[in-house]
Amino acid sequence: MAFEGLTEKISSAFKHLRSKGRLTEADIKETMREIRMALLEADVNFKVVKDLIKSISEKATDAEILESLSPAQQVIKIVNEELTALLGGQNARLTISPEPPTIVMMAGLQGAGKTTNCAKLAALLRKQQQRRPLLVACDVYRPAAIDQLKVVGKQLDIPVFDEGQGDPVAIARHGIDFAKKNGFDLVFLDTAGRLHIDEKLMNELKDIKRAVDPTEIVLVVDAMTGQDAVTVAQTFDEALGIDGVLMSKMDGDARGGAALSVKAVTGKPIKFIGTGEKLGDIEPFHPDRMASRILGMGDVLTLIEKAQQSFDQKQAAETAKKMMAGKLTLTDFLEQLQQMKNMGSMEEMLGMLPGVDAKALAGAKVDEKQMAHTEAIIRSMTPKERDNPSIINYSRKKRIAAGCGLTIEQVNKLLKQFDAMQKMTRQLTNMARGGKGKKKRRGFPGLGGLKLPF
């Protein structure tokens, strides 16, 4: 994930500060030198680094800070505030037109992920703001660009308007007219890209802009291209006048320099980030949360939001009720696993917790392969077997193992662990109810080293 190396180096610099009871200007100077090197190695723009370090140093060497009871914490607070300001300060939302439809013109070079992120963003706003989006295929040059938009549109259940290999300006106008007539309140124009910026590309984008007067122009840039992404954003803004940036492939760039430089260099905010290849891997960009991640403080708010979006509250309440009654089935358990998977990888979720070192997770990864095995075993069962595992005899276990390509021993292990989990839940429930008049027991007899089946 982005910023892994930067987080490690900055955390190391802060560790040096925390070990000192009182700080001197020399201590601050040494820490700033380490942070400067970390930022430059993360491919942050040189001028941006210079200005940031100057600002932090001026505030951190203030006499009031140095003489405070916890100077190291005060310095960390200053770095956090300055990083947040550098990243844009506040979350920059997409402008919504008072008179629908809101027209969002998506621009960018080929390979940045423009077409896919166009559909991802439409799906995100539909989910978060209950919009009715329409995708308009204006990229008539790249082979299969229209087909690609149709495929992702179909996967996300979002309509696509296209007129084949026609005039992109006319297609944009016709698409907006179609949206107005059919009640779509959000239109995304997937415009053409090039392998590099040229006059023909910019003239076409300017023509589309003049013809449809978009509410927003969002530039998609590839985070993995580092400072080239910042240069691309600067050039597009000067020629076209962009309103914001969607930084794609943030999961593939461990340095993150582009994200830290783009606002300072172009003056345009990052509004969204692409965090993976799945169609749900996109999220609004929150500068304060990203600064917190960079400093190793986690990002609990985003983790909570992911959970809220992924889990069906009504279904979760019903599952909790079943657990309390000791009636949880393997079907319920499978549904919970699937909802957890929708939140993203376990490493990503754990990395959002405060104090969890993303690099340290590499040596203690959650066994997602085992989770897949658990899912495969449950899917190989009949509905009756999932609801009543006690009927699963040897012949049934043999059939289940053959159906999922695993061994009978693995099927047995899952069933034993699920049974142990059921027993633990019943005991917890009895303890919560005071044992229904019976004397309360201490601990959980017979459960030993219980592990969940993943």
Side-chain angles (χ1 to χ4, degrees):
M1 188 62 183
F3 305 115
E4 282 182 15
L6 180 59
T7 298
E8 183 187 2
K9 288 181 173 66
I10 290 181
S11 295
S12 175
F14 287 153
K15 189 176 181 181
H16 166 74
L17 277 186
R18 288 192 185 100
S19 65
K20 294 181 176 288
R22 308 285 292 180
L23 296 184
T24 65
E25 288 194 24
D27 293 327
I28 300 295
K29 190 173 181 180
E30 173 63 21
T31 302
M32 291 304 104
R33 188 187 72 80
E34 290 181 37
I35 293 176
R36 181 191 296 111
M37 291 302 298
L39 290 167
L40 290 172
E41 287 176 16
D43 201 23
V44 181
N45 178 277
F46 176 77
K47 186 177 183 305
V48 171
V49 174
K50 184 181 177 183
D51 293 343
L52 177 67
I53 295 299
K54 182 182 177 184
S55 179
I56 295 172
S57 298
E58 287 174 354
K59 293 178 181 177
T61 52
D62 184 272
E64 190 176 330
I65 299 295
L66 293 175
E67 293 170 11
S68 66
L69 293 174
S70 54
Q73 290 179 8
Q74 296 282 3
V75 173
I76 293 169
K77 182 173 178 285
I78 291 168
V79 174
N80 186 33
E81 289 170 351
E82 292 298 313
L83 273 178
T84 300
L86 178 66
L87 288 163
Q90 295 180 337
N91 169 239
R93 296 176 177 271
L94 202 68
T95 303
I96 300 297
S97 173
E99 295 183 12
T102 296
I103 303 166
V104 182
M105 182 175 166
M106 304 289 286
L109 296 181
Q110 283 184 16
K114 176 171 50 60
T115 298
T116 303
N117 280 288
C118 184
K120 280 184 178 183
L121 184 53
L124 178 71
L125 294 176
R126 178 182 61 187
K127 187 173 185 178
Q128 291 187 341
Q129 302 180 13
Q130 290 72 54
R131 300 284 170 187
R132 285 199 67 210
L134 174 72
L135 306 175
V136 180
C138 298
D139 185 352
V140 298
Y141 307 111
R142 183 169 64 87
I146 297 172
D147 289 338
Q148 183 187 353
L149 191 64
K150 284 181 177 179
V151 167
V152 290
K154 185 177 181 181
Q155 289 173 334
L156 292 166
D157 195 25
I158 299 174
V160 176
F161 178 89
D162 83 283
E163 291 182 339
Q165 311 290 322
D167 174 19
V169 178
I171 293 170
R173 279 201 307 260
H174 297 162
I176 292 164
D177 290 339
F178 179 83
K180 289 177 180 176
K181 290 175 184 175
N182 292 276
F184 294 100
D185 57 5
L186 192 57
V187 178
F188 285 89
L189 306 178
D190 181 31
T191 63
R194 296 284 191 283
L195 292 173
H196 56 85
I197 297 168
D198 60 21
E199 189 177 350
K200 186 179 178 183
L201 167 66
M202 286 304 178
N203 287 339
E204 182 180 296
L205 294 175
K206 288 175 185 176
D207 289 343
I208 294 174
K209 181 182 178 182
R210 277 193 295 268
V212 303
D213 188 23
T215 315
E216 287 250 339
I217 299 177
V218 176
L219 180 70
V220 181
V221 293
D222 183 347
M224 293 179 71
T225 59
Q227 286 309 298
D228 284 344
V230 181
T231 304
V232 167
Q234 196 171 17
T235 307
F236 266 88
D237 185 47
E238 289 170 358
L240 194 63
I242 64 173
D243 296 292
V245 170
L246 190 160
M247 188 76 68
S248 68
K249 306 179 188 177
M250 282 288 284
D251 59 313
D253 178 27
R255 296 175 300 175
L260 281 166
S261 307
V262 70
K263 176 66 168 68
V265 174
T266 68
K268 304 299 179 181
I270 299 173
K271 295 197 172 187
F272 300 93
I273 54 173
T275 57
E277 295 181 1
K278 295 178 183 176
L279 293 177
D281 291 341
I282 186 170
E283 59 188 58
F285 182 73
H286 296 274
D288 54 341
R289 299 183 193 182
M290 190 57 73
S292 181
R293 284 194 211 182
I294 292 169
L295 297 179
M297 298 175 184
D299 184 1
V300 176
L301 283 176
T302 297
L303 185 60
I304 291 169
E305 286 176 2
K306 279 178 175 285
Q308 288 175 335
Q309 290 169 13
S310 299
F311 283 84
D312 184 320
Q313 290 186 358
K314 186 178 178 182
Q315 186 182 9
E318 288 175 358
T319 302
K321 201 172 179 181
K322 285 183 178 181
M323 284 182 72
M324 294 293 283
K327 294 179 180 178
L328 188 72
T329 68
L330 283 164
T331 300
D332 299 319
F333 185 67
L334 179 61
E335 288 172 353
Q336 294 299 308
L337 280 182
Q338 289 170 331
Q339 290 185 358
M340 283 179 65
K341 283 170 66 178
N342 290 338
M343 289 180 64
S345 70
M346 284 293 176
E347 286 78 27
E348 184 185 350
M349 286 190 281
L350 289 171
M352 290 181 187
L353 295 174
V356 177
D357 181 5
K359 190 174 181 182
L361 291 176
K365 285 188 177 181
V366 174
D367 192 349
E368 298 205 21
K369 185 178 178 182
Q370 187 58 44
M371 287 182 70
H373 286 174
T374 298
E375 188 174 340
I377 292 169
I378 298 173
R379 288 189 181 281
S380 295
M381 297 176 185
T382 66
K384 191 175 180 181
E385 289 167 343
R386 294 182 198 176
D387 293 342
N388 187 13
S390 62
I391 68 170
I392 303 177
N393 55 24
Y394 181 78
S395 63
R396 288 177 182 263
K397 290 174 185 177
K398 192 174 180 181
R399 191 205 74 247
I400 292 167
C404 62
L406 298 170
T407 65
I408 293 175
E409 287 76 15
Q410 287 170 301
V411 175
N412 277 330
K413 185 179 178 183
L414 171 63
L415 292 172
K416 285 178 182 177
Q417 289 177 332
F418 183 73
D419 183 56
M421 187 173 72
Q422 292 280 59
K423 287 178 181 176
M424 180 181 72
T425 304
R426 283 194 290 270
Q427 289 187 345
L428 283 169
T429 303
N430 288 337
M431 287 181 70
R433 293 173 180 169
K436 292 185 178 180
K438 295 178 182 178
K439 188 178 179 181
K440 293 183 184 180
R441 296 179 182 179
R442 291 185 179 181
F444 305 104
L447 293 180
L450 171 69
K451 292 183 181 179
L452 288 175
F454 54 82

